[in-house]
Amino acid sequence: MPEANIAADKQELPVSTLVSFLDSMLQRENLAPEVVNPLAAVREYFAKEQPVDGPFLSVLLRTQGHKPEAFGDALLCLAAQTDQDFEVIVIDHDSSPEGAAEVARIVASQPKSFGSRVRVIEVSGGTRSRPLNAGIAAATGRFVAVYDDDDLLFGDWVEKFHEFADLGGNKLLRSQVAIQRARPEVWRDNAPGLRTLSWPSAEYPKTFDQVAHLQVNQSPFMSFAFPRVLFHGLGVKFDESLTVCEDWDVILDGSRLLGVEDIPAITAIYRRWEGGPSSYTDHSQAEWLASEQRVVDRNNATPILLPMGAVKQLRELRAAHDVWEVYERLVQSRSWRWTHPMRMAIHAAVELRVRVRSALARFRR
Amino acid sequence: MTRSLVVQSILYGNEADGIVRAAEATAHAASMARTADLVGEWSLAIGDCSEVPVLSEANLKVIGGYVERAGGVFVHEVFGENLGHGGGHNRLAKSTSSELLLILNPDALLGPDTISALVNTVVDGVALSDGRQLPLEHPKDYDPVTGDESWASGACSMTLRSVFDEVGGFDHDTFFMYCDDVDYSWRVKLAGYRVAYQPGARVFHDKRLTVDGDIIPSAAEVYFSAEAAVLLAHKYSRSDISDRILDSFRGNPDETYQKVVRVFEERRSSGKLPVQIDSKHRVGQFINGNYARHRY
């Protein structure tokens, strides 16, 4: 477990990284009086949850109307949640007329107690970020989670988020997600279906590592619930210039500012598609690299907050880097290269001794 | 073609809220099937095997309201004894009449068009069809076009009542908790009918994984699945397999497995083992400890 999470566990109640930072500032002696009050006011703002009229959770369900069977699965997983304190905002993004009609039909077919909490908004154009920003604008919940239309939820996805949100702290909540391989399949009557190909496996890191996430995203989108204050207090938005990696961008932004509370339970399944359209086939390698670079550049161009424990982690990484550099210098040195024949001769002698001993042992038997 | 339907569920110590929510989904799915002229008269029959009845008067009123608004009849029976899964379904089936039976886990949530999809599948020689479970789909293999498969899961399967009666329903004398669905499927096949998977019929069956991605079965699940494994192999004339399993259990000091051996031997000595069938191994599939070829 990263140090940051160990440190957070020692606290009685979760506190966001931002509030923790402000607390450390306010504890300084001789802080100028003109600074204390504004800092305390900001601390107060971010320590408390913003009051909302809506439910606990707003679920943003993105769809392009390509996979009606998977979309039906996604809605059934929501209808079956043990905690029903949520709304669903289906964001139909650039569906064909047939796809949009199918999405509308499936939503309209839901039972009343669930269907009355599902809204459909249609969004045209833009990247994958645009429907998310539209969803954020429409969301009325205390927390927001994003769930794509081809993934699955266990029955306690909302319940676990709710349980940990009620501990307070306004942090991002991160549960565990399993990975399951699937591929499109044609069913009877030529119906477009799907076939699961593997048992769900727990491959993602069990705890959130802020420093590791700067290198690469290690958390699928639906593993997170984001507190409302992230969007409506800190002004975080999805970057509409990104064609992909929009999830990583906001996860980085949110986790740096508010920190992450880990939930020790698998609550969802990420379907890894083999064949058929997915974000990996809809976007070129160049797009992925460009988006990744933009996220890195944006984070590199701003000062960042890191959670408690990150200094020790960075020192260890730096020490490991230094050892690697020493090794690199050694193997590239002239003396190392000149002694190569000698090392090879020693290696061959050792190998020969092992073989002779082995042969003798066989002979003795 | 409109057919009559009874949806059957058996309770044993379940959580009432989940049963009520599932009943709403069932009534909604039945209503959709009625609108599509696939189902005419229908009823929801819930049998309770619990020591203390699960559903309160308020729960019964809510469920009755869902069913009534969907044009159905609600039947609730408290058995006052634990009849097991198959025994409970057999008892319920005797008290109702319909062309189709839907065997359903009491807390399983049906998708809106699940009943319609299953009704459309139980045709052309198919006498038994099960739906696709979410979020953990069963790994048994199936033909994607015909749906043909080794067995249909009792978590959500629709069968022709005439065939249910013809083969004698579930064998609850042999299978208390597990494999009664496998056994029923194979007897349906022996009677000359098809068993088909309908992946378009989705049903949410609330199973969970540990944080490492495993399922941890309860002590009762371990015992009854072990007992059923031996009895199923014996019944389908695979004494080679039942003997091998019993030998491995004898070598296992765990009391669970020792008990399975004792109970099996007691059945043998008192002549209560099931009569062996499928001597030519036409339907019984025993593959790597499973009762079908698994996709993974």
Side-chain angles (χ1 to χ4, degrees), chain A residues 69 72-73 79-81 109-111 113 152-154 156 185 187-188 195-199 202 206 266 269, chain B residues 21 24 28 109 112 121 132 134-135 137 141-142 144-146 199 202 204 207-208 210-213 295-296:
Chain A
E69 281 299 331
D73 291 353
Q81 291 296 302
S109 72
Q110 299 303 311
S113 67
L152 298 169
L153 303 176
F154 287 92
D156 58 351
E185 179 174 77
W187 289 338
R188 65 176 67 198
R195 189 177 187 91
T196 52
L197 301 171
S198 68
W199 187 254
K206 291 187 174 63
I266 290 180
I269 295 174
Chain B
R21 202 167 60 245
E24 185 198 9
H28 182 68
L109 219 79
T121 308
R132 180 166 53 96
L134 301 176
E137 184 179 359
D141 200 10
Y142 63 93
V145 176
T146 65
R202 62 178 67 81
F204 192 92
K207 289 186 174 177
R208 310 279 170 91
T210 67
V211 78
D212 293 316
R295 309 199 297 285
Y296 44 86

Side-chain angles (χ1 to χ4, degrees), chain A residues 72-127:
Chain A
D73 291 353
L75 285 179
L76 183 59
C77 287
L78 284 166
Q81 291 296 302
T82 52
D83 184 337
Q84 288 285 310
D85 190 4
F86 63 89
E87 63 179 354
V88 183
I89 301 168
V90 175
I91 312 160
D92 184 349
H93 184 213
D94 283 343
S95 285
S96 65
E98 298 78 22
E102 187 64 359
V103 166
R105 184 194 69 76
I106 294 170
V107 169
S109 72
Q110 299 303 311
K112 191 177 170 187
S113 67
F114 173 63
S116 62
R117 289 180 281 120
V118 183
R119 283 181 281 161
V120 180
I121 57 177
E122 292 187 3
V123 175
S124 303
T127 63

Side-chain angles (χ1 to χ4, degrees), chain A residues 13-54:
Chain A
L13 290 171
V15 176
S16 73
T17 305
L18 184 57
V19 169
S20 185
F21 172 73
L22 292 169
D23 282 343
S24 71
M25 293 291 291
L26 287 163
Q27 283 165 9
R28 291 182 179 207
E29 291 179 7
N30 304 322
L31 199 62
E34 296 87 341
V35 175
V36 172
N37 285 344
L39 280 185
V42 174
R43 186 216 177 273
E44 187 71 4
Y45 180 86
F46 286 108
K48 281 186 180 172
E49 259 190 44
Q50 295 176 339
V52 294
D53 292 331

Side-chain angles (χ1 to χ4, degrees), chain A residues 203-263:
Chain A
E203 295 178 26
Y204 290 108
K206 291 187 174 63
T207 52
F208 182 81
D209 184 331
Q210 184 71 70
V211 175
H213 272 74
L214 289 171
Q215 180 70 20
V216 65
N217 189 15
Q218 301 182 336
S219 307
F221 219 169
M222 76 279 208
S223 63
F224 282 98
F226 301 91
R228 185 177 177 81
V229 72
L230 180 67
F231 306 104
H232 296 284
L234 289 165
V236 169
K237 288 184 75 173
F238 289 91
D239 181 347
E240 297 198 12
S241 72
L242 293 173
T243 52
V244 287
C245 297
E246 75 287 354
D247 50 350
W248 184 36
D249 190 43
V250 164
I251 289 167
L252 278 182
D253 229 0
S255 58
R256 285 192 286 102
L257 291 165
L258 300 177
V260 174
E261 190 72 18
D262 284 307
I263 300 174

Side-chain angles (χ1 to χ4, degrees), chain A residues 312-331:
Chain A
K312 194 174 172 189
Q313 194 182 353
L314 288 172
R315 282 171 59 86
E316 286 167 359
L317 286 172
R318 181 69 220 180
H321 177 76
D322 289 348
V323 169
W324 178 254
E325 275 197 338
V326 168
Y327 169 76
E328 285 277 287
R329 275 202 299 274
L330 173 69
V331 297

Side-chain angles (χ1 to χ4, degrees), chain B residues 84-101:
Chain B
H85 177 263
H89 279 294
N90 286 351
R91 175 82 68 89
L92 276 182
K94 277 183 185 159
S95 64
T96 59
S97 62
S98 63
E99 292 162 281
L100 298 168
L101 279 178

